[in-house]
Amino acid sequence: MTADQANPVVRTPYGAVRGRYEQGVAAFRGIPYAAPPFGPRRFRPPEPPEPWNGVRDAGAFGPTAPKPPYSEAFGQYLSDPEIAGDDCLNLNVWTPQPDPGARLPVLVWLHGGALTRGSSAVPVYNGATFARDGVVCVSVNYRLGVEGYGLFPDAPPNPGLRDQLAALRWVHDAIGAFGGDPDQVTLCGQSAGAISAGALLAAPASRGLIRRAVLQSGAPEASERDKVRRMVRRMATRLKIPATAEAFAAVDRDLLLHTQAEVGRLSSPVLGGPAFGIVVDGDLVPRDPLQALVDGDAAQGVELLMGWTRDEYRLWLVPGGLVEHVDRLGPVALAGAMARCRAGHEVPRGYRALRPDAGAAEIVGQMVTDHLLRLPLHRLADVRPGTAHLYEFAWPSRIPGLGACHALELGFVFDSGDLPESKKLAGEGAPQELADAMHAAWVRFAATGDPGWQAWDASHPVRIFGDGEPYTAYGPRDAEIALWATAPALPEPGPGPASDIRAPGAELAAAVRRLRRSVGARRR
């Protein structure tokens, strides 16, 4: 074998890169798609990288975006490598055939992590398994937290989302040299990565860059601008600086991350609270992404694969014993869920009737899961009949208490369940047959737009990946969806005791604030 056969070289628009052959797959890691976002580029839209001469080594993952580590409670379940360096706007490519004539389907992966954590270097996201099965896989790093989603008066919004768009443009221009087909790109993301994928789907600037999309445990949405501003203002108050990009850029990076972690401690998918998010900016995100997609004037012809895990909420509540804590809070927790979901009292009462043996944590968790995921994904599928496919991941983790929790499906989608990082969530003995089925469905979707089961129609087909053979169910848990359609929304603020599930408006808001403080204290 010659040196080039062992270390393949591919030319990108900015220079040549040398990868590695690993078990028959060519891997290229740490390729810059934009310039380092620091110095005068801090909090600014991404700029092209400086071209280089010669051949750049692409054998190792590049630097990860600045981020605080997971808390000890979450770190026992989730891995998040940190690689130092400023050149963090980089991506990785795995390909079975780095040949311009191959024209293979492409899957572009956006990691999750609440827009504050995660990276393409997480071992679970090993793109070699997709390349092994004929799909060129690209995984992307992008700016996180206040660097990527802070809202300032002196800087453009959504720089992290703009990073992802820049990566998509790089894929369109460069992936052909790696054996990919730029006209057959599937944008795939989980959690915050799925929310990002939904926003990019709806963005006029992405037109022609995305052929298909996979949204795992995340629906298209735009955060309230004031919710994001509150994160920035609270950080500014702690740091004793103005809430401007110029002032934040002058703060020591480690201190900025520590402050971000402290301020974000009280926010969560279940409890809400100030958090970083994608906002409508009149430019890249001209309107709410879900509404743009539901109205049918965005991403016409793009095929969709979308779904959730049965027990999403358990990853949000199990760490630190929060399930038991929320169960003890009982009516206050239910009132908080009403405020979080803007739901009238008929909704939690209906969930209680359908789940008479459930504790408050399960009722709250399922309400929030349906509000954030199942309802909007149903809405999106309803206007894309014949081109949308839905799934539910229902296999329970071997780790006690986790059930079929958020992020558990990732080791199955990537067929990386044998890695220690996958076993942190799944435990020992995860079924390889389930990984074979899920991974094959994602490969087939990237190649053809059909994962192998009936597309969405009036019968509401949902593919269930659980114990035993996957099967298609029709209208699973539609009774819960019906609750939201028939129950009135939360009334305007008014008087009422916080312990009463019927309490409206202001009292519910007070209840959820008490719940956040209580849960936040347990996370310390």
Side-chain angles (χ1 to χ4, degrees), residues 98-115:
D99 176 354
R103 304 289 289 184
L104 297 169
V106 180
L107 185 144
V108 177
W109 174 251
L110 301 179
H111 67 81
L115 299 178

Side-chain angles (χ1 to χ4, degrees), residues 216-494:
Q216 299 176 214
S217 299
E221 67 174 35
S223 295
E224 297 175 11
R225 294 175 71 91
D226 189 56
K227 182 177 178 180
V228 179
R229 282 198 189 99
R230 287 203 304 273
M231 279 291 287
V232 173
R233 288 168 180 162
R234 290 180 183 186
M235 288 182 67
T237 298
R238 284 179 177 244
L239 293 166
K240 299 179 180 178
I241 60 172
T244 64
E246 181 182 13
F248 271 62
V251 176
D252 174 79
R253 198 179 301 175
D254 289 339
L255 176 59
L256 202 62
L257 291 175
H258 175 77
T259 305
Q260 176 183 301
E262 281 295 302
V263 169
R265 185 173 49 82
L266 299 184
S267 64
S268 83
V270 173
L271 305 178
F276 292 113
I278 297 163
V279 297
V280 173
D281 57 21
D283 173 21
L284 178 57
V285 187
R287 57 186 299 209
D288 179 84
L290 179 61
Q291 199 59 52
L293 292 166
V294 167
D295 287 348
D297 56 357
Q300 282 295 317
V302 174
E303 295 149 328
L304 301 176
L305 172 58
M306 308 180 291
W308 52 85
T309 71
R310 185 191 62 196
D311 307 312
E312 297 272 4
Y313 70 95
R314 288 192 167 271
L315 184 64
W316 306 325
L317 292 183
V318 166
L322 296 182
V323 167
E324 295 81 3
H325 188 57
V326 172
D327 279 342
R328 285 195 298 270
L329 290 170
V332 171
L334 291 170
M338 289 170 62
R340 175 79 173 102
C341 301
R342 303 298 298 167
H345 66 274
E346 289 88 350
V347 172
R349 283 182 171 175
Y351 276 73
R352 173 68 70 200
L354 292 168
R355 302 165 178 268
D357 298 325
E362 181 177 346
I363 300 296
V364 167
Q366 290 295 356
M367 277 182 61
V368 173
T369 295
D370 291 349
H371 172 70
L372 294 179
L373 296 175
R374 290 180 65 237
L375 282 162
L377 293 181
H378 272 233
R379 280 187 67 198
L380 186 48
D382 282 341
V383 298
R384 306 283 172 126
T387 61
H389 293 79
L390 266 61
Y391 74 88
E392 178 173 293
F393 181 82
W395 181 81
S397 170
R398 305 295 192 209
I399 306 293
L402 287 182
C405 68
H406 190 68
L408 180 58
E409 89 283 7
L410 291 170
F412 296 86
V413 168
F414 278 88
D415 191 14
S416 56
D418 58 337
L419 298 178
E421 292 80 5
S422 290
K423 293 178 181 178
K424 289 174 73 171
L425 264 186
E428 297 289 342
Q432 181 60 44
E433 298 81 4
L434 182 56
D436 292 342
M438 289 198 79
H439 179 72
W442 267 240
V443 168
R444 178 172 169 172
F445 180 77
T448 69
D450 178 3
W453 64 88
Q454 182 180 338
W456 188 259
D457 60 19
S459 66
H460 290 189
V462 177
R463 193 68 163 176
I464 308 296
F465 292 97
D467 285 317
E469 285 288 322
Y471 64 95
T472 301
Y474 293 86
R477 286 174 38 210
D478 270 4
E480 290 177 359
I481 292 292
L483 287 170
W484 298 85
T486 57
L490 184 73
E492 291 300 315

